[in-house]
Every structure is written in C-alpha cells, then in structure tokens.
Amino acid sequence: MPVSRPRPTTLVAAALVALAPVLVGCQPSAAPSPDAAAPSPAASSPTALPTFDAASTVGGYAPGFPVDLLAGPDDATVLASSAAPRDGLVDVSLNLATGLGTRKIVRQYAERLDAAGFEEAGGGDGSALAAQTVFTRTTTRKKATVVESVHVGVLDDGERRLVTVSGTVAPTEG
C-alpha cells in the first residue's frame, strides 16, 4: 500500500490556521478616525491629592482654635478645623456634623457670639444652605481697631446638619 504524503499547500494552510491568532495580535491597529477624541492626560496619570495647611486638624480642634468662642454643639462630631495666625488675628475654619436642628445651631452660635460682643450682620440669600449668617465685632487692641467676622453656614442633608464656621477673629487674650 502506498504511503500518502500531505501536499505542501496543506501544510502551509495548517500552519496558517495554527498561527492565525498570533498573527492577528501582531497586526497594526487601524488608525483612529479623525472624529475620535484623544485620550485625556488626566486619564493616563493619577491626580495628586491636595495638601493641607499645617494649621489644619482632622477629627478635632486645631491648636490655637478659639474653642471658647466657636466650639460646636455638645453632640457635634468635629470633621476638621484650622487656626492660622495672620497679622495679629487668627483665620479659623471649622467643619462639623450634628443631629441638632438648623435653628438651634444658629441660635447657639448667635447667643455665644452676642455674649462676646459680636453683632449679627444677617444671612445671605441665593445659597443652597439651609441657613447662613455673618457676625462681626469691632474692637480696639493694642491701640488698633480690629474688625472680626464669623460666618456660620448650615447644610441640612435630611439626617444630619453639616455646619461650617469660618472667619477671622482676634486671639484669646491672656
């Protein structure tokens, strides 16, 4: 009985079938269409996180923060705060969360600031905040007139109130 040998074309065809997946992966990609958007640089590199001022503290009151004047309500969770001295004053910021109602929060700050000589200058309109108001005080310290201001804003998210207190106040004397 004669031995049959595969034809050379059959061998080439079998080799091409076996190598097809490899060869397809090596094909140059099609040129992008002119309408295709170029990848953004942000998509290819991670975004750096912001740096925080050394005067900031997360989860508590920053050193030098005027707690006696601007502390949050007793049930509040302090999210972050800062106290940065500048030109004889202190730039302050406080962010907190509380279960108290909006009116009660504003009333507590108003009573404390009023007792310290601040006057309520009124609230702002056109904001997404549930409440916001500004307090100011003008005093004389070391033969200079000092104007202090405190902004209190309350955002009501339904379950809790997020409060931000910021401004510029004179450091506690003593």
Side-chain angles (χ1 to χ4, degrees):
M1 187 154 91
V3 178
S4 72
R5 293 186 165 173
R7 294 185 187 170
T9 55
T10 306
L11 289 174
V12 171
L16 287 176
V17 169
L19 293 174
V22 174
L23 294 174
V24 170
C26 294
Q27 296 292 328
S29 61
S33 70
D35 296 335
S40 68
S44 62
S45 62
T47 302
L49 292 175
T51 57
F52 293 95
D53 189 292
S56 297
T57 299
V58 175
Y61 294 106
F65 188 88
V67 176
D68 56 328
L69 182 64
L70 300 175
D74 290 338
D75 80 327
T77 300
V78 175
L79 305 172
S81 68
S82 70
R86 179 182 55 85
D87 298 330
L89 298 171
V90 180
D91 290 332
V92 295
S93 175
L94 171 65
N95 295 291
L96 55 93
T98 180
L100 290 180
T102 300
R103 288 186 193 147
K104 192 166 189 173
I105 296 164
V106 172
R107 186 174 59 244
Q108 283 186 8
Y109 275 108
E111 289 171 355
R112 192 176 321 137
L113 290 166
D114 183 55
F118 282 79
E119 294 181 16
E120 189 168 0
D125 292 334
S127 170
L129 296 175
Q132 67 176 324
T133 190
V134 175
F135 300 88
T136 61
R137 170 172 75 176
T138 303
T139 58
T140 302
R141 288 188 170 219
K142 298 180 183 178
K143 299 181 183 180
T145 301
V146 176
V147 178
E148 302 165 87
S149 65
V150 175
H151 176 267
V152 177
V154 182
L155 176 68
D156 188 338
D157 77 355
E159 295 178 21
R160 63 185 177 165
R161 267 51 59 212
L162 302 173
V163 181
T164 183
V165 178
S166 60
T168 303
V169 297
T172 305
E173 292 181 324

